Amino acid sequence: MTRFVLQRIGGALLVLLALSVLIHVLFYLAPGDPARLACGERCNPQQIAQVREQLGLNESAVAQYLHFLQGLVAGRDYSAGAGQALHCDAPCLGFSYQTDQQVTGLILTRLPATLSLALGALAIWLLVGVGTGLLSALRRGGITERLLTVLTLAGTGTPVFILGLLLLMAVCAHLQWLPFPTYVPLTEDPEQWAWNLLLPWLTLGLFESAKYARLTRSSTLETLAEDHIRTFRAYGVGERALVTRHAVRGAVAPVIALSAVDFGTMIGGAVLTESLFGIPGLGKTLIDAVRVVDLPVVVGVVLAIGTAVVVAGAIADLLYAAADRRVALA
């Protein structure tokens, strides 16, 4: 098991290194002039040359990447002109072209909103998805299973923004049970934080729960068809006990693994939900930065999202191995 853990950690570090190279190549070495973007459209050639010197863009591609990597690990100094230097603490992702704010600080201020959205959605899709999948497996062949199957397929085929719009129109506009959501930080008012995130949680949670219902049902039925389950049946163990005590274990491992990956993806993948409900998270930050071509913010957010996905994948492998030791021994 220790060897398996070390292999997964080492693999994750290599993937993160490759990701940093890819992002640097795509955004800093692609056609275009970052110095002109940082300086603005009204800058003259002399001002653009000065900005290029301050950003270190006159150096070779390898030197630029090494400085970029140095900033991530140990921080970095940027030239501020007149012999002055501006220090950027590690992990340094540069400064925003629009606000001159450190990109790392900007990401850290937007991350709590995204984590709030992802954690609430995670709880809903596990509760609804796993519960629905187990009920469908327990009632297989009956009208309950058919109804749940239809609802699951409908949920899988409904785009997340359509589901969010339907919830907004039904709950806020038609029934008026809730006001239109406005994000409130948890530290300011926990009650308003929860009420304003309820619809975004339901939107993402119900959308993802359809996938988990299908996964749980298929995993549970597969486990119920194994030899040891048939032995339990032969000894007179009830169907409900077989599902709740034995078959659930077979469905836990893939659900845990997929949940970890989906949670990591949700860190940056909830762009539509954040834009629809006005949540100032990483997804909305990325869209806003792309709109104004704020290159350091785009690079920083993409790297943060990629890191979250890679780390979540490694955690998923470790959780899968913990739930099923045969994975680690394979």
Side-chain angles (χ1 to χ4, degrees):
M1 187 66 181
T2 303
R3 180 182 177 184
F4 177 81
V5 172
L6 293 177
Q7 287 177 345
R8 288 299 179 269
I9 293 176
L13 291 177
L14 289 177
V15 172
L16 289 176
L17 182 62
L19 179 65
S20 68
V21 174
L22 179 62
I23 291 176
H24 188 270
V25 169
L26 288 178
F27 289 100
Y28 284 105
L29 302 182
D33 189 355
R36 180 174 293 277
L37 294 175
C39 189
E41 296 181 355
R42 299 183 179 180
C43 288
N44 56 46
Q46 182 179 0
Q47 292 173 320
I48 294 176
Q50 182 179 0
V51 172
R52 184 178 290 108
E53 179 69 25
Q54 292 175 355
L55 295 178
L57 298 176
N58 292 329
E59 300 175 343
S60 65
V62 176
Q64 289 184 49
Y65 173 71
L66 291 178
H67 287 155
F68 175 72
L69 201 60
Q70 175 192 349
L72 294 177
V73 177
R76 182 179 176 183
D77 289 329
Y78 285 87
S79 173
Q84 298 180 349
L86 190 63
H87 183 70
C88 179
D89 296 325
C92 177
L93 295 169
F95 294 85
S96 169
Y97 292 164
Q98 300 295 318
T99 64
D100 291 331
Q101 181 182 358
Q102 281 198 32
V103 176
T104 304
L106 177 63
I107 291 175
L108 291 178
T109 58
R110 302 297 177 90
L111 186 59
T114 298
L115 289 177
S116 298
L117 176 61
L119 286 172
L122 172 67
I124 291 177
W125 84 52
L126 285 179
L127 181 64
V128 176
V130 175
T132 302
L134 289 176
L135 181 60
S136 179
L138 188 62
R139 303 288 186 180
R140 66 184 184 277
I143 188 172
T144 301
E145 184 203 15
R146 297 174 184 174
L147 179 60
L148 292 176
T149 300
V150 171
L151 293 176
T152 300
L153 292 175
T156 304
T158 304
V160 65
F161 64 92
I162 295 295
L163 181 58
L165 286 174
L166 291 176
L167 287 174
L168 276 175
M169 290 188 295
V171 177
C172 299
H174 182 65
L175 299 175
Q176 297 184 354
W177 287 348
L178 291 173
F180 284 90
T182 303
Y183 179 75
V184 177
L186 175 63
T187 54
E188 292 184 8
D189 192 335
E191 183 178 356
Q192 289 300 315
W193 168 82
W195 278 113
N196 282 279
L197 281 174
L198 182 58
L199 285 183
W201 285 342
L202 288 174
T203 299
L204 278 178
L206 293 177
F207 175 75
E208 293 288 339
S209 64
K211 175 172 59 179
Y212 283 86
R214 297 178 63 184
L215 175 63
T216 303
R217 177 184 178 276
S218 60
S219 300
T220 303
L221 292 178
E222 182 179 348
T223 305
L224 287 174
E226 294 180 356
D227 293 337
H228 70 284
I229 298 294
R230 286 198 293 267
T231 302
F232 285 135
R233 280 201 187 97
Y235 280 100
V237 179
E239 196 70 15
R240 186 182 299 272
L242 285 176
V243 172
T244 56
R245 296 180 185 178
H246 302 286
V248 170
R249 297 180 182 178
V252 163
V255 167
I256 291 176
L258 186 60
S259 296
V261 174
D262 281 346
F263 181 79
T265 306
M266 197 71 66
I267 298 300
V271 177
L272 292 176
T273 305
E274 289 183 357
S275 300
L276 178 62
F277 293 99
I279 299 175
L282 291 182
K284 190 173 184 300
T285 302
L286 179 60
I287 295 299
D288 295 340
V290 170
R291 186 178 296 115
V292 297
V293 201
D294 197 344
L295 194 60
V297 177
V298 174
V299 171
V301 174
V302 170
L303 185 59
I305 293 171
T307 301
V309 173
V310 172
V311 172
I315 293 175
D317 289 339
L318 297 178
L319 293 176
Y320 205 148
D324 189 349
R325 295 296 295 273
R326 294 174 297 180
V327 175
L329 299 176

